[in-house]
Amino acid sequence: EPEVTQTPSHQVTQMGQEVILRCVPISNHLYFYWYRQILGQKVEFLVSFYNNEISEKSEIFDDQFSVERPDGSNFTLKIRSTKLEDSAMYFCASTTGVETQYFGPGTRLLVL
Amino acid sequence: GIQVEQSPPDLILQEGANSTLRCNFSDSVNNLQWFHQNPWGQLINLFYIPSGTKQNGRLSATTVATERYSLLYISSSQTTDSGVYFCAVRSNDYKLSFGAGTTVTVRA
């Protein structure tokens, strides 16, 4: 069964450093998402991406964040200058449209 | 935005017991999914169920869209059922809005 993959599984970084989280969505999917989950809290929407542009973003997704689909398979989330409060599990998801969103296994980011 | 409330927040079960988890939402939805978050943090898809009833093994789910709630049933619970169960809904946009989850602990 096709699945969403994410790399790395864990990342530790220093405050102020840039990080890039990578995702490979399911190949025939058209809509791509990033969500995050701070430890012990619920999953929060960050951004959705369709037709090579951002279709919706939350108030969390400020100028420090950007997304890109650099080629036909990868979908990346960049955090320009990490803060302590960016420590969280980041999930990528994809869907064909209105039905099931499939989530990747997540990248656990720790900012020191 | 749409509000999603899950109850109870915590549930402790003896192995073999049955349980019901509830998800209430504040607006009409086009998509409702149930997830199980395992101890490694992965979100496992359980059901895509915007309406009606589905069953998968010992798990089943029912969504009554007109009354804005969904129920997840766990029968004959096992220790491997432990974890956090999330309900997530999509309304008029494409993003999922998650509830706060129900933490289930199944004791042997």
Side-chain angles (χ1 to χ4, degrees), chain A residues 31 33 35 37 41-45 48 56 89 91 95 97-105 108, chain B residues 4 30-31 33 35 37 39-43 45 48 86 90 93-101:
Chain A
Y31 297 82
Y33 305 84
Y35 294 83
Q37 184 183 31
Q41 298 186 20
K42 66 179 179 181
V43 179
E44 302 172 288
F45 166 76
S48 59
E56 188 177 359
M89 179 79 105
F91 293 102
T95 182
V98 300
E99 296 197 356
T100 306
Q101 283 192 22
Y102 293 88
F103 280 67
R108 197 176 294 276
Chain B
V4 184
N30 297 316
N31 176 1
Q33 292 181 235
F35 296 88
Q37 187 163 43
W40 296 270
Q42 296 175 333
L43 289 169
N45 267 313
Y48 164 77
F86 288 104
R90 184 178 70 78
D93 47 25
Y94 284 91
K95 68 177 185 286
L96 286 176
S97 298
F98 281 74

Side-chain angles (χ1 to χ4, degrees), chain B residues 12-19 58 74-81 105-108:
Chain B
I12 299 176
L13 302 169
Q14 207 59 36
E15 201 168 29
N18 303 328
S19 63
R58 295 180 297 101
I74 306 174
S75 65
S76 304
S77 55
Q78 300 177 357
T79 55
T80 51
D81 294 330
T105 303
V106 181
R107 293 184 172 157

Side-chain angles (χ1 to χ4, degrees), chain B:
Chain B
I2 191 166
Q3 303 300 309
V4 184
E5 292 184 0
Q6 292 187 243
S7 60
D10 299 281
L11 193 56
I12 299 176
L13 302 169
Q14 207 59 36
E15 201 168 29
N18 303 328
S19 63
T20 302
L21 283 57
R22 187 176 180 105
C23 172
N24 292 332
F25 41 94
S26 61
D27 204 348
S28 58
V29 297
N30 297 316
N31 176 1
L32 189 146
Q33 292 181 235
W34 283 98
F35 296 88
H36 176 215
Q37 187 163 43
N38 65 21
W40 296 270
Q42 296 175 333
L43 289 169
I44 309 300
N45 267 313
L46 297 178
F47 295 102
Y48 164 77
I49 186 165
S51 63
T53 298
K54 289 187 178 179
Q55 178 149 12
N56 185 2
R58 295 180 297 101
L59 300 181
S60 63
T62 295
T63 297
V64 183
T66 52
E67 296 187 24
R68 298 182 184 169
Y69 73 88
S70 183
L71 303 173
L72 178 70
Y73 305 97
I74 306 174
S75 65
S76 304
S77 55
Q78 300 177 357
T79 55
T80 51
D81 294 330
S82 295
V84 184
Y85 290 79
F86 288 104
C87 167
V89 303
R90 184 178 70 78
S91 186
N92 294 323
D93 47 25
Y94 284 91
K95 68 177 185 286
L96 286 176
S97 298
F98 281 74
T102 293
T103 301
V104 173
T105 303
V106 181
R107 293 184 172 157

Side-chain angles (χ1 to χ4, degrees), chain A residues 73-111:
Chain A
S73 59
N74 290 284
F75 180 49
T76 62
L77 174 69
K78 183 193 290 186
I79 309 175
R80 248 179 286 282
S81 177
T82 50
K83 307 185 191 75
L84 296 176
E85 54 265 36
D86 293 328
S87 295
M89 179 79 105
Y90 288 81
F91 293 102
C92 173
S94 70
T95 182
T96 53
V98 300
E99 296 197 356
T100 306
Q101 283 192 22
Y102 293 88
F103 280 67
T107 293
R108 197 176 294 276
L109 176 65
L110 178 61
V111 182

Side-chain angles (χ1 to χ4, degrees), chain A residues 32-35 44-50 53-67 75 77 80, chain B residues 93-96:
Chain A
F32 314 114
Y33 305 84
W34 286 100
Y35 294 83
E44 302 172 288
F45 166 76
L46 290 177
V47 65
S48 59
F49 193 84
Y50 170 71
E53 61 183 25
I54 291 174
S55 49
E56 188 177 359
K57 59 183 181 179
S58 72
E59 57 274 12
I60 302 168
F61 194 89
D62 61 22
D63 292 343
Q64 293 295 331
F65 292 89
S66 62
V67 289
F75 180 49
L77 174 69
R80 248 179 286 282
Chain B
D93 47 25
Y94 284 91
K95 68 177 185 286
L96 286 176

